[in-house]
């Protein structure tokens, strides 16, 4: 008696869920494949890997599996594809300058290597789309083989010298506008401590990362995950001036980027305030406050390090 | 029977949870909190890493990267013209590391094991005038270099004090 009652309830619950499932299928998200504008220009061995593991979300050639098309999963899939295309679309990249395409590919491969991409749910539901160790090696070899090591010509050397003369001979500080998200320029950053230097051979820049007193103290105390409120970093980038014999000097100043920690204050942007100023004129980067989306997406693979890429030097003995 | 089925349900829940936790923690390689490989240890009287970073350079062929550090008078000197005299209290240190791949960014190299620290500073013997001194420390831990000729030392001293500061607007 008891068993049959339970069986009936199971049928009712199961049936209702089935009806609900069918009803949900009426609400199919709009997801189409717009024409391919200009596909990224890479050799076929590289394109095949991107097609297999990235194109479903990052191109206009999305191929959905049957189970991707069933609601409610289809809604998540449609959302991921829209977001994926907005951030990186391999069907449109070909229009950009070669150096820019190369930079985007470097970021994509870092997202793969650090485990952020493809998304975990996608890897789990599409095991055949995983990026294998061999695939990753192929992608890296391609980027290494195509990374230019330009030699600084007279134009670059003169630009560096002109910038240096103007800077070293002037006591006037430029008036610096705040970043579009309201973060003011940290005018005391030059008194901070250098916590590392980086040779970014992927985009031919060299960088020094400076930390303020709170950040340096946190490094000494080993309290860097999470970083304490008020910790701030400045990442300064210069062009690489190479003389053609393998000697590279810091050349023209390119940009300065800041991260300032405020777990509550900057809760909407992962606990950090983000800002970037370009050129010796220190022009704020970004048209509006949404520019921080770029910073966060790039730093997300190091979420487990409280979003900080830099591995600081031990500045105290 | 009922107890058994409840037990298996609980077990499978725990199992699923463990798998999920395992996936999330195992999918990311952990990089170190600080770069201990590049730490300066040995016969250093002062820690130049606490001074101003003046400029930075790379030796591609030998995969070295160097940063010139200096106190405020040294920075001031690196911002002045070629004929400027070196201030009497200036201290410079050119720290050179072997490069290592950045575990957090394919496309970047960061300092690895330290190769040398070259110091340039003023020293004064009793009854004599202060003179600019060059001291080279090699290896890890850092020890004073023994096979350095006076002309090599003079050449390196001139080179280090001739380096210009990288622009920091």
């Amino acid at each position: 008696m008891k068993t049959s009652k339970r069986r009936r309830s199971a049928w009712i619950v199961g049936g209702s869920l089935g009806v609900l499932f069918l009803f949900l299928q009426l609400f199919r998200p709009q997801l189409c494949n717009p024409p391919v504008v200009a596909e990224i220009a890479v050799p076929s061995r590289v394109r095949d890997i991107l097609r297999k593991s990235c194109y479903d979300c990052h191109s206009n050639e999305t191929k959905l599996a049957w189970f991707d098309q069933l609601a409610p999963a289809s809604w998540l899939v449609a959302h991921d594809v829209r977001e994926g295309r907005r951030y990186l679309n391999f069907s449109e990249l070909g229009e950009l300058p070669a150096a820019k395409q190369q930079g985007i590919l470097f970021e994509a491969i870092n997202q793969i290597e650090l485990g952020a991409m493809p998304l975990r749910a996608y890897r789990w539901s599409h095991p055949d789309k995983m990026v294998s160790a061999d695939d990753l090696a192929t992608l890296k070899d391609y980027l290494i083989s195509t990374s230019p090591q330009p030699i600084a010509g007279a134009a670059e050397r003169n630009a560096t010298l002109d910038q240096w003369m103007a800077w070293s001979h002037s006591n006037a500080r430029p008036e610096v506008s705040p970043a579009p998200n309201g973060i003011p320029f940290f005018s005391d950053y030059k008194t901070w401590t250098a916590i590392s230097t980086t040779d970014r051979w992927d985009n031919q820049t060299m960088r020094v990362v400076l930390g303020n007193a709170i950040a340096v103290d946190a490094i000494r105390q080993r309290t860097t995950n999470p970083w304490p409120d008020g910790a701030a970093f400045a990442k300064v980038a210069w062009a690489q001036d190479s003389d053609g014999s393998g000697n590279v000097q810091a050349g023209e100043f390119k940009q300065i980027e800041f991260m300032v920690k405020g777990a509550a204050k900057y809760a909407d942007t992962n606990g950090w305030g983000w800002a970037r100023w370009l050129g010796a004129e220190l022009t704020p980067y970004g048209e509006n406050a949404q520019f921080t989306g770029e910073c966060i997406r790039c730093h997300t693979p190091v979420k487990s390090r409280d979003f900080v890429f830099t591995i600081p030097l031990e500045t105290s003995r | 029977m009922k107890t058994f089925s409840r037990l298996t349900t609980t077990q499978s829940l725990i199992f699923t949870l463990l798998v999920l936790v395992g996936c999330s923690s195992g999918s990311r390689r952990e990089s170190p909190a600080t770069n201990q490989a590049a730490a300066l240890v040995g016969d250093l009287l002062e820690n130049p890493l606490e001074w101003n970073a003046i400029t930075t350079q790379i030796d591609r062929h030998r995969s070295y990267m160097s940063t010139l550090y200096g106190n405020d008078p040294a920075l001031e000197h690196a911002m002045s013209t070629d004929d400027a005299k070196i201030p009497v209290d200036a201290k410079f240190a050119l720290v050179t590391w072997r490069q290592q791949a950045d575990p957090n960014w394919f496309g970047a190299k960061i300092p690895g094991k330290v190769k040398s620290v070259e110091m340039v500073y003023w020293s004064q013997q009793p009854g004599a005038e202060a003179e600019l001194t060059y001291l080279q420390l090699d290896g890890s831990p850092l020890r004073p270099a023994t096979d350095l000729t006076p002309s090599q030392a003079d050449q390196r001293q001139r080179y280090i004090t001739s380096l210009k500061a990288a622009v920091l607007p």
Side-chain angles (χ1 to χ4, degrees):
Chain A
M1 185 66 189
K2 215 173 178 184
T3 318
S4 70
K5 205 171 179 184
R6 197 182 295 156
R7 196 171 290 161
R8 202 168 60 219
S9 331
W11 271 107
I12 293 169
V13 172
S16 315
L17 285 174
V19 170
L20 180 68
F21 177 74
L22 289 174
F23 178 70
L24 289 179
Q25 304 316 311
L26 296 173
F27 302 95
R28 295 173 75 86
Q30 279 293 317
L31 192 65
C32 55
N33 277 334
V36 174
V37 183
E39 196 174 10
I40 185 168
V42 286
S44 56
R45 67 180 190 284
V46 173
R47 189 181 297 120
D48 289 348
I49 298 168
L50 301 177
R51 275 182 182 275
K52 178 189 75 171
S53 302
C54 314
Y55 269 39
D56 278 350
C57 293
H58 293 287
S59 81
N60 294 345
E61 296 179 74
T62 303
K63 288 182 186 136
L64 297 180
W66 63 268
F67 50 83
D68 290 327
Q69 302 181 51
L70 297 177
S74 57
W75 303 338
L76 290 173
V77 169
H79 172 264
D80 285 349
V81 172
R82 271 194 292 269
E83 279 295 296
R85 284 178 182 167
R86 197 162 64 84
Y87 187 52
L88 165 63
N89 190 336
F90 286 111
S91 302
E92 294 171 2
L93 274 192
E95 286 184 326
L96 299 172
K100 186 107 179 146
Q101 292 186 44
Q102 182 94 342
I104 291 170
L105 211 48
F106 263 102
E107 189 186 330
I109 283 158
N110 274 293
Q111 297 269 353
I112 295 169
E113 184 163 55
L114 292 163
M117 283 286 155
L119 293 175
R120 190 182 301 156
Y122 182 79
R123 291 199 303 253
W124 176 79
S125 54
H126 303 77
D128 55 320
K129 305 285 180 90
M130 296 267 262
V131 180
S132 69
D134 282 351
D135 291 343
L136 194 56
T138 303
L139 296 172
K140 284 179 166 185
D141 285 348
Y142 168 69
L143 283 180
I144 291 168
S145 69
T146 53
S147 289
Q149 297 293 332
I151 297 163
E156 285 82 10
R157 285 199 303 274
N158 285 341
T160 303
L161 188 64
D162 287 350
Q163 197 190 51
W164 187 84
M165 292 292 269
W167 168 69
S168 63
H169 288 65
S170 162
N171 292 322
R173 299 189 72 119
E175 266 307 305
V176 187
S177 307
N181 55 348
I183 295 192
F185 189 75
F186 294 80
S187 51
D188 64 339
Y189 83 93
K190 291 186 211 180
T191 64
W192 299 359
T193 307
I195 59 163
S196 197
T197 52
T198 314
D199 165 11
R200 282 288 300 271
W201 56 267
D202 58 343
N203 61 13
Q204 295 88 48
T205 59
M206 34 213 310
R207 293 158 186 229
V208 168
V209 180
L210 303 151
N212 69 356
I214 298 173
V216 170
D217 198 45
I219 296 166
R220 285 182 186 144
Q221 308 287 333
R222 301 264 197 281
T223 51
T224 57
N225 204 350
W227 290 85
D229 273 8
F233 304 104
K235 185 160 70 181
V236 190
W238 298 275
Q240 293 190 358
D241 271 9
S242 174
D243 66 355
S245 324
N247 300 308
V248 183
Q249 302 282 342
E252 207 177 350
F253 169 87
K254 290 287 180 190
Q255 62 176 27
I256 182 163
E257 295 164 307
F258 289 90
M259 280 175 81
V260 54
K261 178 79 184 190
K265 188 174 180 186
Y266 303 115
D268 292 347
T269 48
N270 293 93
W272 290 92
W274 311 81
R276 177 191 280 163
W277 283 267
L278 301 177
E281 307 77 27
L282 299 171
T283 310
Y285 176 83
E287 283 172 16
N288 53 49
Q290 303 307 314
F291 82 92
T292 53
E294 287 174 43
C295 315
I296 293 165
R297 274 189 292 264
C298 184
H299 282 251
T300 296
V302 285
K303 191 176 175 183
S304 65
R305 297 178 49 85
D306 197 13
F307 297 92
V308 175
F309 278 107
T310 304
I311 304 172
L313 292 168
E314 305 256 350
T315 51
S316 59
R317 286 178 299 152
Chain B
M1 189 67 190
K2 210 170 179 184
T3 323
F4 177 74
S5 72
R6 198 173 289 158
L7 200 68
T8 45
T9 313
T10 319
Q11 275 172 339
S12 20
L13 273 174
I14 290 172
F15 178 74
T16 314
L17 208 68
L18 281 176
V19 167
L20 285 175
V21 169
C23 285
S24 61
S25 60
S27 61
R28 182 161 291 138
R29 296 169 300 111
E30 290 300 326
S31 44
T34 59
N35 188 348
Q36 289 182 26
L40 304 189
V41 286
D43 296 348
L44 275 176
L45 295 174
E46 289 185 80
N47 184 4
L49 301 188
E50 291 174 352
W51 301 345
N52 305 297
I54 296 175
T55 189
T56 174
Q57 49 184 228
I58 301 160
D59 178 340
R60 279 259 175 266
H61 291 322
R62 291 186 287 181
S63 290
Y64 293 154
M65 62 198 297
S66 309
T67 301
L68 176 67
Y69 295 87
N71 61 1
D72 290 346
L75 173 62
E76 200 178 299
H77 178 73
M79 288 176 68
S80 55
T81 45
D82 292 339
D83 53 350
K85 283 195 173 143
I86 300 165
V88 283
D89 45 358
K91 287 191 264 191
F92 302 82
L94 184 66
V95 181
T96 302
W97 289 273
R98 289 167 215 285
Q99 292 188 309
Q100 62 167 323
D102 185 343
N104 289 334
W105 190 264
F106 170 70
K109 287 181 180 172
I110 58 171
K113 228 172 176 182
V114 67
K115 187 241 162 203
S116 63
V117 175
E118 295 167 273
M119 312 275 289
V120 178
Y121 56 96
W122 292 91
S123 64
Q124 193 168 19
Q125 300 297 327
E129 275 195 19
E131 60 173 350
L132 209 53
T133 307
Y134 172 85
L135 173 68
Q136 184 178 327
L137 300 145
D138 287 337
S140 185
L142 292 156
R143 297 278 178 260
T146 47
D147 55 346
L148 205 67
T149 64
S151 77
Q152 282 172 325
D154 187 57
Q155 200 186 354
R156 291 301 292 170
Q157 176 183 303
R158 281 172 201 279
Y159 172 69
I160 289 168
T161 54
S162 74
L163 289 172
K164 296 276 169 261
V167 170
L168 274 189

